[in-house]
Amino acid sequence: MANSPWSHTRSSSLSDDVDFEIKGQELQFVEIELDPGESAVAEAGAMVWKDASIDMTTVFGDGSADQGGGFMGKLLGAGKRLVTGESLFTTVFTHRGSGKARVSFAAPIPGSILPIKLDEVGGRLICQKDAFLCAARGVSIGIHFQQRIMTGLFGGEGFIMQKLEGDGWVFVQMGGTVIERELRAGEELHVDTGCVAAFQPSVEFDVVRAGSVKSMIFGGEGVFFARLRGPGKVWIQSLPFSRLAGRMLAAAGSTGGQNRGEGSLLGSLGNLIDGD
């Protein structure tokens, strides 16, 4: 596969060690190359295209080998996904032919697809509940609850998160521009709760009050910040999907469904002409 800013050639691992290439700028997709018998697992509806020799099977849960336990084990795995707001099902794409075959998956929002090799971050990654896009077969997708009472009450989007475990490649979708920070032991970072995209389990996640009462009421930045304390890596997204959706809904409501131009004189005059 051709080289790109995000491309990979294989090494040894317990998970299927797929080759991949990420293409595009603001609206990215990842193209995964499979050898015979290799599989990729993805969220339902994420596929863009695939070669004909790749079979597509819908399964309960994440389709990982760790799920086990027969039907009840699979049902439990699917239930965990439901808690995070995801579908009960994932789709497994397996190369049944010879030679190389490719399948691609696209992120649903403008932003970045970040490839992370789990064995390079300690075998586990905590991320926003809608971050998972696809992975090599063998990666387990679970849930992560924040333990502190204050975080549970005021953590917002950071209360229930996804937990990705294994040693293989996982591809997470993040909104807008992504910043990676390596925090030293004891170093703190304050982030809008929705902008916390992912972090290593060694990073302590908590919430803190956003300044004075005046700042909390009139600052427009929310009442609480997420406090991330090192050591470990954190990934921050500039445009979480919830913020994008909220502003789109607010803009649609403010125009009453009419396209008169934001902030223009025509918008006000149009209301008078229509009798609004």
Side-chain angles (χ1 to χ4, degrees):
M1 187 168 287
N3 291 326
S4 73
W6 284 117
S7 60
H8 161 69
T9 55
R10 63 187 54 245
S11 62
S12 60
S13 67
L14 297 177
S15 301
D16 287 356
D17 190 21
V18 298
D19 297 330
F20 67 87
E21 185 177 0
I22 293 176
K23 299 182 178 180
Q25 299 298 322
E26 289 79 13
L27 293 169
Q28 294 188 329
F29 69 94
V30 55
E31 185 179 290
I32 296 178
E33 186 176 80
L34 302 174
D35 284 336
E38 287 186 335
S39 298
V41 182
E43 284 291 349
M47 189 198 79
V48 179
W49 60 267
K50 69 179 183 68
D51 287 332
S53 61
I54 295 179
D55 282 351
M56 184 174 65
T57 306
T58 300
V59 299
F60 268 124
D62 57 21
S64 68
D66 294 337
Q67 207 168 44
F71 175 76
M72 291 305 297
K74 294 178 180 179
L75 189 61
L76 179 61
K80 290 179 179 179
R81 290 174 47 75
L82 193 62
V83 171
T84 64
E86 304 294 338
S87 168
L88 285 171
F89 303 93
T90 52
T91 308
V92 180
F93 297 83
T94 304
H95 181 16
R96 301 296 187 188
S98 59
K100 304 283 189 179
R102 297 176 181 175
V103 59
S104 66
F105 308 99
I109 60 172
S112 304
I113 297 175
L114 190 65
I116 297 177
K117 191 73 158 53
L118 288 177
D119 62 0
E120 296 177 358
V121 294
R124 182 182 299 174
L125 183 73
I126 309 301
C127 57
Q128 283 283 8
K129 61 185 180 180
D130 55 356
F132 174 75
L133 177 65
C134 59
R137 178 178 56 188
V139 171
S140 174
I141 309 163
I143 57 175
H144 175 79
F145 289 102
Q146 301 297 343
Q147 299 298 317
R148 288 182 171 83
I149 294 177
M150 286 289 289
T151 306
L153 292 175
F154 305 109
E157 299 164 80
F159 175 45
I160 301 177
M161 307 185 78
Q162 287 182 333
K163 178 174 61 178
L164 307 176
E165 295 180 289
D167 65 349
W169 286 100
V170 64
F171 303 89
V172 290
Q173 53 198 6
M174 302 180 182
T177 302
V178 178
I179 301 298
E180 179 182 319
R181 287 281 302 268
E182 178 87 40
L183 299 180
R184 300 184 301 274
E187 183 180 3
E188 289 188 7
L189 189 66
H190 294 180
V191 186
D192 180 274
T193 55
C195 292
V196 179
F199 54 89
Q200 290 182 279
S202 58
V203 173
E204 181 182 324
F205 182 101
D206 201 357
V207 293
V208 293
R209 196 177 71 179
S212 65
V213 174
K214 181 179 179 181
S215 298
M216 292 166 62
I217 297 175
F218 302 108
E221 299 297 337
V223 179
F224 294 93
F225 291 144
R227 178 177 64 188
L228 302 172
R229 179 182 291 143
K233 288 183 179 181
V234 301
W235 290 266
I236 303 164
Q237 58 186 356
S238 66
L239 183 63
F241 178 70
S242 58
R243 180 181 295 179
L244 174 63
R247 291 184 177 178
M248 290 176 66
L249 288 173
S254 66
T255 60
Q258 304 295 320
N259 184 18
R260 297 195 179 106
E262 183 178 359
S264 68
L265 179 62
L266 182 59
S268 300
L269 292 178
N271 287 336
L272 293 175
I273 294 172
D274 290 344
D276 293 340

